[in-house]
Amino acid sequence: MSADLGFVHVFQPAQNPGAPTLLLLHGTGGDEHDMLPLGNLAPGAALLSPRGKVLENGMPRFFRRLSEGVFDVEDLKVRANELADFVAAAAAHYRFDPSRVIAMGFSNGANIASAMMLLRPGVLKGGILLRGMVPLVPESRQDAPLAGTRVLISNGRIDPTVSPEETERLARLLQQAGADVEVHWQPAGHQLMPSDFAVAKTWLQSIR
Ligand code: MLT
């Protein structure tokens, strides 16, 4: 049974000493088990996979939305900070290096990951955003808060939920905050494809 650190979650320790920790963040209606198979994209890494605490018609999410693509920004801010605190608490409890946490999130999970980067720079060393959108635009207080943070965005060209313009806006927002951003376009909609996993695997090898 996993410890109670504020989120229902699964933790799998690293198989290789010194490997990073992947923070796996599911999409709407998923849970802490959904993304675990993607852990094999970073062989030997520790896996930390929480379940979103918001329920929308019984479907877990990481923050509230008012309608499809319209987010409750006040709730998002609270939840992103709560998740960042959970990552810190998990690092202390499970004894992994808090400076080597890489998020991999799908859809709603990608959106909380980028919100966490923008609101709590330094909590994540990097992130793979699969079908991510602009979560919020923070009032910036410091110059290049995300300098040294690496981000891979893998989005679909024909995604009815995330337009190409939205993807470009997300990339710009993160770049303006100082992150090193790579965008990969998939010949896909909102569903993930084998090419998403291939690009994520290559990117993870490059960051380790
Ligand atoms: C979703 O289905 O989860 C949305 O596309 C993204 C979100 O609500 O965060």
Side-chain angles (χ1 to χ4, degrees), residues 1-203:
M1 225 176 72
S2 58
D4 179 12
L5 301 172
F7 278 79
V8 174
H9 66 280
V10 172
F11 177 74
Q12 292 181 5
Q15 299 302 309
N16 295 347
T21 297
L22 276 192
L23 174 67
L24 300 169
L25 301 166
H26 63 78
T28 302
D31 67 20
E32 65 279 20
H33 301 290
D34 266 30
M35 302 279 288
L36 291 175
L38 297 192
N40 68 12
L41 299 175
L47 306 179
L48 178 64
S49 187
R51 185 195 303 173
K53 289 203 234 180
V54 168
L55 284 180
E56 184 185 274
N57 302 321
M59 296 186 297
R61 287 176 51 84
F62 286 98
F63 58 89
R64 278 168 40 99
R65 65 179 165 184
L66 306 175
S67 60
E68 175 76 48
V70 182
F71 302 144
D72 178 336
V73 173
E74 288 315 307
D75 185 66
L76 172 53
K77 287 181 188 166
V78 172
R79 305 277 175 189
N81 278 299
E82 199 177 47
L83 189 61
D85 292 341
F86 162 74
V87 172
H93 182 81
Y94 295 116
R95 299 174 183 278
F96 61 80
D97 181 350
S99 70
R100 302 194 60 216
V101 179
I102 298 166
M104 176 153 52
F106 167 62
S107 192
N108 182 243
N111 297 341
I112 191 88
S114 51
M116 203 161 53
M117 284 191 239
L118 291 161
L119 296 172
R120 294 279 292 270
V123 169
L124 297 175
K125 178 181 175 193
I128 299 177
L129 308 176
L130 303 163
R131 308 298 184 270
M133 311 164 70
V134 173
L136 48 74
V137 178
E139 309 130 30
S140 69
R141 276 176 234 116
Q142 58 187 116
D143 259 2
L146 293 181
T149 305
R150 290 187 51 194
V151 180
L152 169 69
I153 301 173
S154 185
N155 276 5
R157 272 208 190 281
I158 48 168
D159 187 338
T161 312
V162 188
S163 68
E165 294 74 27
E166 177 79 10
T167 300
E168 276 154 18
R169 223 156 62 80
L170 173 61
R172 255 196 325 273
L173 180 65
L174 293 164
Q175 269 157 356
Q176 280 162 0
D180 173 353
V181 182
E182 234 180 88
V183 179
H184 279 260
W185 293 100
Q186 308 297 342
H190 208 63
Q191 294 301 317
L192 297 179
M193 319 245 301
S195 50
D196 285 294
F197 307 132
V199 90
K201 185 169 187 170
T202 307
W203 184 88

